[in-house]
Amino acid sequence: MVFYDGCSIFVLFIPYTFSYAELKAGTDDFSPINKLGEGGFGPVYKGMLSDARAVAVKQLSVASHQGKSQFVAEIATISAVQHRNLVKLYGCCIEGDKRLLVYEYLENNSLDQALFGNKTLFLDWSTRFEICLGVARGLTYLHEESRVRIVHRDVKASNILLDSDLVPKISDFGLAKLYDDKKTHISTRVAGTIGYLAPEYAMRGHLTEKADVFGFGVVALEIVSGRSNSDSSLEDDKVYLLEWAWQLHEDNRGLELVDPSLSTCNESEAKRVIDVALLCTQTSPNLRPPMSRVVAMLSGDIEVTPVTTKPGYLTDWKFSDSTTFLSADASTSNTDQSTQFSSSAGTTQLSDPNYTPVNVSASMLGEGR
Ligand SMILES: Nc1ncnc2c1ncn2[C@@H]1O[C@H](COP(=O)(O)OP(=O)(O)O)[C@@H](O)[C@H]1O
Ligand SMILES: *[C@@H]1O[C@H](CO)[C@@H](O)[C@H](O)[C@H]1NC(C)=O
Ligand SMILES: *[C@@H]1O[C@H](CO)[C@@H](O)[C@H](O)[C@H]1NC(C)=O
Ligand SMILES: *[C@@H]1O[C@H](CO)[C@@H](O)[C@H](O)[C@H]1NC(C)=O
Ligand SMILES: [Mg+2]
């Protein structure tokens, strides 16, 4: 496909198309044994292609509003965006109403499993610091450097995969857009996972790349502390990671956040990561630095801007189906673009199958305290 946008000509390569038969054979008919997990878009299976490449096959179970050619164009965009810190998309499969995506398989799983899982993979401090930097570089590329600018919308630990050398690779970028048919930054549907959601995006659907900066800040604190953003098994003042991190920061005890299972840790690096994360999670998107500045601050090229205001965090979500979701800002009708909420093990996932509209109200960290 060739596009001419008035000032530059660029070529989008048609993505490689796999046959359903090959993917079916390569995953043992999508056997449960090969299932790697399941997120908002559908299940993911480990597979082996006929050329012996290991792949992760994502079955998109939610019907996209887009037609076939638009779907292909979107997949072409995702395939064209390549960086050391982004998961490679090998291609897709479109047969009848089947839609599948084929990604490179990353053998060391996702960051959430390494940090909060059975910890079969131990990440030492220097690895964690490099992971923070790598994720920041990948997001900088998506936001500021790639030909097509992409807001990820779902930056979270399970979307950071680790390769054989523990190099972090961001996955699922560009996916939320497949389900977004309105050309406005005000999305009537929130993709993302509560706990990583920027307040302005969650409550008003206002989407800019600063929503990803917020998600990055949460992931960075999870990497330093080795715990998830919300953990109700902990003492009251520690349940919400951002709240706890801010409390420690105010008391000049920021480094107490560092994962106790780390035997050594470079304190100046850890302090930098924590301070940058608190900047990234500010309530006002304008106070959050662009990702290129995050990279510069983390690597010590520029000073970290001092943080003086507490981060913004959604702590209390109430769901009901009586009022319209995001009605304040969403200019478009959302009868067929609603948000589904399901809750499991303390994390609430937002995905977007056709579902009854729900009302969300949220209270912010520290409000009224
Ligand atoms: N390319 C991949 N290589 C290895 N594992 C993957 C890959 N993609 C996804 N996974 C695994 O599958 C799980 C489910 O992925 P996904 O459907 O994107 O849901 P989520 O990101 O919400 O966990 C992930 O948590 C990850 O552990
Ligand atoms: C990554 O995972 C593979 C397979 O589980 C394992 O053999 C390897 O040691 C891991 N790499 C690192 C750096 O831990
Ligand atoms: C992780 O540990 C739990 C019990 O602590 C166990 O049930 C589960 O199978 C383990 N998962 C893996 C992948 O080892
Ligand atoms: C900590 O990291 C900085 C660079 O980020 C380095 O200059 C310093 O030597 C490190 N300190 C230790 C004790 O390793
Ligand atoms: Mg994912």
Side-chain angles (χ1 to χ4, degrees), residues 105-109 120-123 127 162-167:
Y105 174 75
L106 291 157
E107 66 175 13
N108 284 300
N109 254 308
T120 40
L121 188 62
F122 181 76
L123 306 176
T127 304
L162 301 170
D163 79 358
S164 53
D165 298 321
L166 304 180
V167 172

Side-chain angles (χ1 to χ4, degrees), residues 36-44 56 58 87 103-107 109-110 112-113 154 156 158-159 161 171-172 193 349:
L36 293 169
E38 181 154 6
F41 298 100
V44 184
K58 179 168 272 191
V87 175
Y103 290 98
E104 65 174 314
Y105 174 75
L106 291 157
E107 66 175 13
N109 254 308
S110 47
D112 65 323
Q113 292 181 33
D154 201 8
K156 57 179 176 178
S158 70
N159 276 338
L161 306 178
S171 80
D172 290 350
T193 308
Q349 304 268 339

